[in-house]
Amino acid sequence: MHPLALQVPAEAGSTDILAVANSPLVWACALGVFGVIFVQTFIYIKAARKAAPAVGMSTGELTRSYRAGAVASIGPSLAVVLVAIALLALFGTPAVLVRIGLIGSAATETASAGIAATTMGATLGGPDYTQQVFAVAFMAMSISGGMWMLATLILTPLLKRGGHRLSQVNPAAMAIIPCAALLGAFSMLAVAEMPKSGVHLITLVVSAAVMSGCLFLARKLQAAWLKEWALGFAIITALVVAFAAHAA
Amino acid sequence: MTTNIQTRTGSGMAGFEATTSRWGRITMMAGLVLSLIGPLYLVFFGGLDITAGHIWLAFIAVAATFGIFWIMEPLTYFPILGPAAMYQAFMIGNISNKLLPAAIVAQSSIDARPGTKRGDLAAVMAICGAATVHLTSLLLFVGVLGTWLISIVPDALIEVARLYILPAVMGAVLVQCIATMRQLRPTIFAIGAALAVQFVLVPLVPQAAMGATAITVVATIMLSWFGRDRSAIHTTPAEEEPSDAARDAANGSTAEEIR
């Protein structure tokens, strides 16, 4: 590496994603977001402790709630970890930590990145997935995630004042539109993978099959944990099959 | 005596609300800014030849797909989470699959109804607990262990993972989405629209590939709306996956006499 190149050593056409994805400033910002949430957690716990006696809650009940939340989230958190690790090669650690681990979810963030890459005429993870495409995808994910936070910042005080009357404007529309939008988005993103190559198609089918199997078993065996882990299992199994098919 | 307790109750919870809405907003704004600095830095100072046009195009395509959820999700979760937890939930993420279950488990373990003050405090504490576990496991297993894993795994393996991660994610996510919604008509419309766009529209008009997802989303919404089962009664906006308990909680808190 050039000793004078203090900035990110980058060329728009390079496919060495991790070289830019792991730049120190990106790391620092990612750790900063973790720091902010830790601070928030600390402030909230302090505030809850102060308010608890007034609403007839004991310190024991507060601790029990905290512990219940912590225990309940062990499974889901580790499931997120598994998915996040699978995505490291695509986005690098800091972007995965913030976008998939925290603010967003694997599904929406990977989808956003894929959509952004398509607008550049590139495929996420493909041979044309350059540093430039990565940066645009990362930016698009981050703005989209930012809009969720912005909406929360704007809507929460409004809703607090007016209750949640807004959501009762048209129950049919509120039930159908988001449902249709999500189904439409993920149908298209899945279908778009089909014609790319035989291995893409196999990977897609295996992933869908593993998820179906997990959801079926989860219902039959009343195993809620399996639902949380299903995405991780499906991704890993599909990648293993992809690796075998790719080598064949 | 009674009045004394009442004022104490008021000031106690009012103090909590003041603190959490003030610091909730401040921390969320800080999180928002920090989460944008990284990509902005790469875009402007990474030397990657990125134009404003690139960003706008990507943003519009993403907005056309997910824009509706920026508004819908805060509206959906507010009645279940309460104002204070909103600032936590939308920063920690994984709301429906982790934070809501955590909040509901905590509320039921101390017999607090969602939408009451006790329920709100229990939810906030549960989310604090979930946040602690989640942040720690991410830092440890992804931040430290994951980075190490990436450094020792052979390049060929990484290459394959990168090449096929998208179909590996989307196949499962689509199935999960269909299973969660349990809505036959929109599912058929969505898959039909996607197939039509991919195998009819895009071959005819290659430029449409750019907005394929947005086109499918709009088409699915229109088809699902005009082709909806008009005899069905919709009560709650069921969107990602509020569990049954969460859905009940959302229904239960419609009578908002307490907050």
Side-chain angles (χ1 to χ4, degrees), chain A residues 10 36 40 44 61 64 66 77 89 93 101-102 132 142-143 148 151-153 157 171 177-179 188 193 207 243 246, chain B residues 25 27 46 48-49 59 68 70 72-73 84 87 92-94 109 118 132 134 147 157 162 164 167-168 172 216 234:
Chain A
V36 165
Q40 187 191 55
Y44 270 51
E61 284 181 317
R64 256 163 67 203
Y66 178 88
S77 284
T93 314
L102 295 178
Q132 190 191 33
S142 302
I143 301 179
W148 253 285
T152 306
L153 283 168
I177 293 173
C179 190
M188 187 63 236
E193 294 303 309
S207 164
F243 188 74
H246 186 78
Chain B
R25 293 173 72 80
T27 46
L48 298 172
D49 286 333
F59 173 70
I68 189 161
W70 299 339
M72 299 287 294
E73 287 211 326
Y87 299 117
I92 301 165
N94 301 289
S109 85
R118 274 164 53 84
T132 313
H134 191 61
T147 310
L157 219 71
R162 223 174 78 172
Y164 300 111
T216 311
H234 299 280

Side-chain angles (χ1 to χ4, degrees), chain B residues 1-11:
Chain B
M1 193 65 196
T2 332
T3 38
N4 192 14
I5 289 170
Q6 269 170 356
T7 42
R8 252 183 61 213
T9 304
S11 70

